[in-house]
Amino acid sequence: MESLLQPIRQFLHCDTPREWIEAAREPENLSILLIDHLVCELKAAQSAMLLIRRYADDAASGDALLAWLKPYEDFTYRMQGDWRQLAAHERLTKAMLPKRDAPYSQELIDKMVLLIKEELHHFYQVLEIMDELGIAYENISSSRYARGMLKHVRTHEPATLIDKLICGAYIEARSCERFAALAPHVDPQLAKFYVSLLRSEARHFQDYLELAEQLAGHSIDERVRFFGEVEAQLIQSPDTEFRFHSGPV
């Protein structure tokens, strides 16, 4: 585990505050922790889908992506459908046609489709744990975290895509660091699940960062450092409500 976490800790500008871990340990926050984690998994899949649709796929593949995520979105945002049926939902293949005018298309597609598959699998696993613990799904408000980074994304290409990929790297890295921080303080079953997520989350962070570096074709250290400072401020400053990516409350 430590070998996986070392590059994560070098990348992030701060550790999760002790105050947040203490809040996460409180029994009354368990339902919020799991529900927000669930929604974060879907949002990670949606973000990857939007990157593919915006930058790399053709129209038919874009429609296939929308259809792939729709049952998960219906359950999460419209509270429609039986979550148990999601396991049987048809999987999308990696054989998607890239846009011809984007040389980075296929690698972006390959990495993001794999990420979507894994995030949706994690989504279902969280639902299974919630069911075992008797926690019912309900709609909750989003944290400030992702919005707080994305508002700094530049508005001209390819800088927009580079910044979005860097933000994705930080979100995945923080998730990995937070799973590791939580594991010693939660129920053994939940701890085992969090530890099982570390490898994929660590790879997602690296995939986002590698794509940003390849697309830029030059050093992105300055932008990485900028978003690292923004991310650390969001993680360390007091927050108004407890969420998976919130600051201390």
Side-chain angles (χ1 to χ4, degrees), residues 110-127:
D110 289 347
K111 289 184 175 180
M112 293 299 103
V113 168
L114 179 59
L115 186 148
I116 293 170
K117 286 182 177 181
E118 291 179 336
E119 302 292 16
L120 294 182
H121 178 61
H122 299 162
F123 179 94
Y124 190 83
Q125 288 179 296
V126 177
L127 281 171

Side-chain angles (χ1 to χ4, degrees), residues 92-140:
L92 199 70
T93 69
K94 289 172 66 175
M96 300 174 62
L97 297 175
K99 286 181 179 175
R100 295 173 183 265
D101 59 349
Y104 50 84
S105 291
Q106 197 57 57
E107 186 167 9
L108 178 65
I109 288 173
D110 289 347
K111 289 184 175 180
M112 293 299 103
V113 168
L114 179 59
L115 186 148
I116 293 170
K117 286 182 177 181
E118 291 179 336
E119 302 292 16
L120 294 182
H121 178 61
H122 299 162
F123 179 94
Y124 190 83
Q125 288 179 296
V126 177
L127 281 171
E128 287 183 314
I129 291 173
M130 288 172 57
D131 184 62
E132 291 176 12
L133 296 175
I135 297 174
Y137 175 75
E138 59 180 316
N139 287 321
I140 61 173

Side-chain angles (χ1 to χ4, degrees), residues 27-226:
E28 61 267 27
N29 283 331
L30 179 60
S31 61
I32 292 293
L33 180 70
L34 288 173
I35 291 171
D36 197 46
H37 175 190
L38 177 78
V39 177
C40 286
E41 296 289 359
L42 177 58
K43 287 183 176 178
Q46 288 176 308
S47 296
M49 177 203 66
L50 290 172
L51 286 174
I52 296 173
R53 294 189 73 235
R54 172 67 177 83
Y55 296 102
D57 74 339
D58 63 353
S61 297
D63 291 342
L65 280 168
L66 290 175
W68 188 21
L69 264 65
K70 188 176 186 301
Y72 298 87
E73 294 171 334
D74 285 343
F75 175 84
T76 305
Y77 302 126
R78 293 172 280 278
M79 303 186 76
Q80 297 174 356
D82 183 347
W83 67 268
R84 295 169 185 84
Q85 298 302 314
L86 295 175
H89 186 57
E90 184 179 355
R91 299 290 188 259
L92 199 70
T93 69
K94 289 172 66 175
M96 300 174 62
L97 297 175
K99 286 181 179 175
R100 295 173 183 265
D101 59 349
Y104 50 84
S105 291
Q106 197 57 57
E107 186 167 9
L108 178 65
I109 288 173
D110 289 347
K111 289 184 175 180
M112 293 299 103
V113 168
L114 179 59
L115 186 148
I116 293 170
K117 286 182 177 181
E118 291 179 336
E119 302 292 16
L120 294 182
H121 178 61
H122 299 162
F123 179 94
Y124 190 83
Q125 288 179 296
V126 177
L127 281 171
E128 287 183 314
I129 291 173
M130 288 172 57
D131 184 62
E132 291 176 12
L133 296 175
I135 297 174
Y137 175 75
E138 59 180 316
N139 287 321
I140 61 173
S141 59
S142 300
S143 73
R144 67 185 182 182
Y145 179 72
R147 293 194 307 271
M149 283 191 287
L150 291 172
K151 72 180 183 180
H152 297 286
V153 168
R154 292 169 291 182
T155 58
H156 58 280
E157 297 292 359
T160 300
L161 177 54
I162 293 168
D163 284 356
K164 286 181 178 179
L165 291 168
I166 294 171
C167 288
Y170 273 108
I171 293 170
E172 296 292 339
R174 179 58 62 187
S175 297
C176 186
E177 185 266 352
R178 201 147 267 197
F179 288 137
L182 279 170
H185 304 288
V186 295
D187 175 89
Q189 178 194 12
L190 190 55
K192 183 178 179 180
F193 173 55
Y194 285 156
V195 171
S196 76
L197 299 179
L198 295 182
R199 189 171 300 278
S200 60
E201 299 299 315
R203 190 182 66 257
H204 296 168
F205 136 70
Q206 292 170 335
D207 284 348
Y208 271 119
L209 198 59
E210 287 172 5
L211 284 169
E213 291 169 342
Q214 292 168 13
L215 177 61
H218 55 75
S219 174
I220 58 171
D221 289 351
E222 183 178 345
R223 292 303 288 174
V224 170
R225 184 164 49 252
F226 169 78

